Amino acid sequence: MASQAPPSSPLAFQASAAAEAHRPPLILPKRTLAARIRSLLADRNRFSQFLRRESNGVLEAAESLLGERGALTGTAAQIRIRQCLAGAWREEATLTAELCDSAITPLDGEDLRALACLLTSVVEALDDVQAAASRSESGGDWPLNTLCRATLEYVTVVCELIPEPLQLTHDASRMALLTSRSMALRSARRFCESAVLDGCGLSACQVLARWSLLEEFRRLRCCLDEACLEVQRVVLKNS
């Protein structure tokens, strides 16, 4: 029986060197676990930035459509809304992709996704308003400018809140402001409805077109109300 070579023999040294050559190199992390967690926590703001950019796009679309007299049927407003709608879809898709690759977020990923979807719904509702306005006459004696102004004010307060929904926990007056803006929009729309029903000299087609436009304003208000309810749910969930 052959004798076993001692550990210090040349054969043992060569075997050990061959094993080391085939062993994968040890790759140490460039940063400690604590440093990586701090980096992830600091990078959470990018999700708020996504919502901020989309909110700014919604506000730009609303201002281009509702900010000036006659903008409802203007070509420039239609082009701007289409651009903002494409931007909202892009921001929502990018946010969803980022959520899939991130483990730490400022809010639950489902909440962030829901807020982004609601912002997109508001832009889509604005696009429907513009399409309905192009089929009706924006002039006349009915108080459409008052409705546009009330709508823009409501969109503004919602867009200021969605990127940082937890503001409601620090400033309770924002909830009262949201409610008052919603009621003002409702009152303005009903005032326009009364003006359409009481209007003289309007053909049946004109009444139908104006009523269709007011219906799109109603749907827009519903989208804004849903956004407010979602913000309240997020605040309650994270409080």
Side-chain angles (χ1 to χ4, degrees):
M1 183 175 181
S3 61
Q4 185 176 4
S8 58
S9 66
L11 292 177
F13 178 77
Q14 293 176 2
S16 177
E20 289 292 337
H22 290 85
R23 181 178 298 173
L26 179 61
I27 301 177
L28 297 176
K30 296 181 180 179
R31 294 179 295 179
T32 64
L33 179 60
R36 294 175 66 189
I37 292 177
R38 286 195 299 270
S39 176
L40 287 172
L41 289 173
D43 202 26
R44 295 188 310 168
N45 292 330
R46 71 184 188 277
F47 294 103
S48 297
Q49 292 170 1
F50 279 120
L51 293 177
R52 174 65 64 185
R53 286 196 298 268
E54 189 171 0
S55 296
N56 291 338
V58 173
L59 188 55
E60 289 177 6
E63 289 175 345
S64 65
L65 181 65
L66 308 170
E68 297 180 0
R69 182 180 180 88
L72 275 173
T73 56
T75 305
Q78 181 180 6
I79 295 174
R80 185 58 187 147
I81 287 177
R82 293 293 181 179
Q83 293 174 345
C84 293
L85 184 56
W89 286 334
R90 182 173 58 254
E91 292 291 350
E92 182 183 335
T94 307
L95 174 64
T96 302
E98 288 285 339
L99 287 172
C100 294
D101 295 332
S102 179
I104 300 178
T105 58
L107 299 173
D108 186 81
E110 180 183 355
D111 298 335
L112 293 168
R113 179 83 168 84
L115 293 173
C117 289
L118 286 168
L119 285 171
T120 304
S121 297
V122 172
V123 183
E124 292 172 346
L126 286 169
D127 186 39
D128 292 337
V129 167
Q130 200 283 329
S134 64
R135 297 190 297 267
S136 66
E137 297 179 3
S138 60
D141 298 330
W142 64 321
L144 185 58
N145 290 334
T146 302
L147 177 58
C148 291
R149 184 167 56 253
T151 304
L152 181 57
E153 291 175 352
Y154 194 15
V155 172
T156 300
V157 295
V158 171
C159 289
E160 289 177 351
L161 181 61
I162 283 186
E164 298 179 10
L166 298 183
Q167 293 178 68
L168 283 180
T169 59
H170 308 295
D171 187 3
S173 64
R174 286 183 175 271
M175 194 65 244
L177 181 61
L178 290 169
T179 302
S180 65
R181 292 290 187 266
S182 178
M183 296 305 297
L185 176 53
R186 180 188 181 191
S187 299
R189 183 178 57 82
R190 288 191 170 183
F191 189 38
C192 285
E193 289 177 354
S194 300
V196 172
L197 294 175
D198 298 338
C200 299
L202 294 177
S203 65
C205 291
Q206 288 175 328
V207 171
L208 183 60
R210 292 188 177 189
W211 197 264
S212 176
L213 175 58
L214 294 178
E215 179 65 15
E216 296 301 337
F217 271 103
R218 185 193 66 81
R219 292 175 182 173
L220 174 57
R221 176 176 175 261
C222 289
C223 289
L224 294 169
D225 288 344
E226 289 177 6
C228 294
L229 290 175
E230 181 64 24
V231 168
Q232 294 178 62
R233 189 192 67 79
V234 169
V235 171
L236 180 63
K237 179 179 178 181
N238 292 272
S239 61

